Amino acid sequence: MRQLLLVAVMCGAAGVAQAADMPDLPFLRGSVSEGLSTSTVNWQGFYVGGQGGYGSSDAKFSGSNATMLAALLDHNVIQQMQVSQWNLGLGGQSARTSAFGAFAGYNSQWDDVVLGIEASYMHGSFGGASHATKELVSGAKLSDGFFHDVAVDSSASISISDMATFRGRAAYAWGCFLPYVFGGFALGNADILRSVTVHDAVSNVIGGPFAPLATLNATDGVHNHLIYGYTGGLGVDINLIGGLFMRAEWEYIRFTSSIDTNINTVRAGLGYKF
């Protein structure tokens, strides 16, 4: 009996010694591994994904109809009232909407530093509309011998249905997390409508009554118009398993052509790195 106990103790000691000499394999610790020696996530390569989000847009219409009004009133007597230089009162308008889309890109990784390029697309209904009216009576008779009561109705709207951004990314790999910042340029597909209507009435006395003249109107509309601007933002990719990752992101876009429009979106997405 003593001999059997001695043999068992010796075998147990040998097993412990052998286990102590085994290599510290990452997969034994449950890490996301590359080979048998590292525990960092490999972000190198191409990736694609889908995304959905929610955003707000702020469109600034001030001054957007001034050129159209000046052309409408060219050589008109009421230009003596400097009508084409009036502040028509078109201001900023905000709107909120949901959106969805996709993204694709490529990462290059050096140790913990990841640099890449990416294209991102979103479909939604961003933009806004504004309408204003301004009226003024001339303080003296104009060159035609009449007092004029002039009112200008002005409206403008922009609707951005599709937008794409092309960005460069800089990121830092921290375990299964990849926080990043990005910047680049933006393109959008927009419908833009603008109109001005001038109502003019005349009288021999400053207090009226005023007799209306013919209404003047000008309208300008473009559909599927290409607009451009720039983008910037930040986010984080989180590796789930293998090449599958999830994403949370905030993006700022400013379209500077046509009507000045700012768009902020927050997004969540799911992607796969090949």
Side-chain angles (χ1 to χ4, degrees):
M1 184 67 178
R2 291 179 180 177
Q3 292 179 345
L4 291 176
L5 182 59
L6 180 60
V7 170
V9 171
M10 292 178 64
C11 290
V16 171
Q18 183 178 5
D21 292 336
M22 289 181 65
D24 185 16
L25 300 180
F27 63 80
L28 295 179
R29 303 194 306 271
S31 301
V32 178
S33 305
E34 181 181 10
L36 299 179
S37 59
T38 63
S39 59
T40 59
V41 178
N42 178 20
W43 295 99
Q44 176 88 25
F46 291 96
Y47 60 90
V48 296
Q51 59 188 347
Y54 186 78
S56 64
S57 55
D58 298 287
K60 299 177 177 62
F61 297 99
S62 179
S64 60
N65 290 0
T67 302
M68 187 165 52
L69 180 60
L72 180 66
L73 297 178
D74 189 29
H75 301 301
N76 192 296
V77 66
I78 62 175
Q79 280 290 65
Q80 297 171 39
M81 299 169 61
Q82 298 182 328
V83 177
S84 64
Q85 300 177 26
W86 287 2
N87 181 355
L88 299 178
L90 293 176
Q93 293 292 322
S94 300
R96 291 173 173 81
T97 184
S98 57
F100 62 90
F103 59 88
Y106 180 81
N107 290 326
S108 293
Q109 183 169 359
W110 295 270
D111 295 328
D112 294 329
V113 176
V114 179
L115 301 177
I117 56 174
E118 181 177 293
S120 177
Y121 164 78
M122 292 292 281
H123 175 79
S125 182
F126 300 95
S130 181
H131 178 267
T133 299
K134 183 171 183 177
E135 184 176 6
L136 186 66
V137 176
S138 62
K141 290 183 177 180
L142 302 185
S143 60
D144 62 354
F146 294 101
F147 292 94
H148 284 254
D149 181 2
V150 179
V152 178
D153 292 328
S154 180
S155 64
S157 67
I158 182 171
S159 177
I160 304 171
S161 57
D162 301 282
M163 55 188 186
T165 56
F166 304 87
R167 339 91 159 246
R169 295 203 314 165
Y172 183 81
W174 183 44
C176 64
F177 295 93
L178 186 72
Y180 60 87
V181 296
F182 63 86
F185 67 96
L187 298 175
N189 180 37
D191 294 336
I192 302 173
L193 300 175
R194 300 181 299 161
S195 70
V196 290
T197 302
V198 180
H199 305 276
D200 187 12
V202 295
S203 175
N204 287 316
V205 294
I206 192 170
F210 288 88
L213 301 179
T215 299
L216 302 176
N217 179 265
T219 301
D220 179 33
V222 291
H223 299 278
N224 297 322
H225 181 63
L226 180 65
I227 57 177
Y228 54 86
Y230 58 86
T231 182
L234 51 86
V236 59
D237 290 341
I238 306 171
N239 180 262
L240 299 177
I241 183 171
L244 188 66
F245 65 93
M246 64 180 296
R247 162 178 294 190
E249 183 181 274
W250 163 75
E251 182 177 37
Y252 169 80
I253 300 174
R254 182 180 181 186
F255 291 110
T256 54
S257 60
S258 300
I259 295 174
D260 191 355
T261 306
N262 302 307
I263 298 175
N264 286 275
T265 59
V266 290
R267 310 171 180 183
L270 190 66
Y272 186 83
K273 187 195 71 68
F274 298 97

